[in-house]
Structure formats: C-alpha cells, structure tokens
Amino acid sequence: MTGERGDRPWGYYLVLMEEDGYKVKKFVVHPGKRLSLQKHRRRAEHWQVVRGGATVTVGTDPGKLITVKLSPGGYIDIPL
C-alpha cells in the first residue's frame, strides 16, 4: 500500500510506490543504527543513497562477503 510507514528500532521506511512487479521504499536509518542482515529468495533490490552514507555488505558465503561504502548518489544492485 502506498504511504505505508513501518517504524523500526533503526528508523523507519515509507512505501512511495507499488505496482505489479515492483515496490519503491524510502528508508531512513538513524545515525549509528543499522539494518539486520537479510536474505530474499524472490526479489532483487536496488539501493541508492540520497543523503548521508551507507556501508552495505552483500553475499551469502561468510568467506566471500563484499562490503561497499556508498556516498550520496551511490548505489548498489543486490541480486536474489
């Protein structure tokens, strides 16, 4: 549902747009907080930093994790 807000210990998200096949969310992560590790089998994700910065860790094998630091305008595509 568009306009849905989800409050979390790390901040909150807003659903900006949702149609068949995709959903666009805005995440606001408070300084010093972080999202938990996640795994999605049914969707890929595209993350873009609008303000501030982010450190994103991607991978499933602990020996092959990739960590990327993103600045405003930076983005990362996360596969299924």
Side-chain angles (χ1 to χ4, degrees), residues 5-80:
R5 177 180 168 134
D7 290 300
R8 300 290 186 264
W10 44 260
Y12 64 92
Y13 70 84
L14 297 171
V15 177
L16 303 177
M17 180 182 291
E18 183 174 7
E19 294 185 12
D20 287 343
Y22 72 92
K23 183 184 290 191
V24 178
K25 291 182 180 179
K26 173 183 179 178
F27 285 82
V28 176
V29 181
H30 298 305
K33 299 292 184 175
R34 64 182 184 179
L35 281 68
S36 61
L37 294 177
Q38 302 175 33
K39 184 175 184 179
H40 303 293
R41 294 177 189 219
R42 297 184 185 183
R43 70 174 182 255
E45 296 186 356
H46 174 86
W47 292 14
Q48 182 165 5
V49 175
V50 176
R51 187 173 29 211
T55 302
V56 181
T57 302
V58 179
T60 57
D61 182 347
K64 297 181 181 177
L65 297 177
I66 297 169
T67 299
V68 178
K69 291 190 180 223
L70 301 173
S71 300
Y75 65 90
I76 187 167
D77 290 311
I78 303 170
L80 292 173

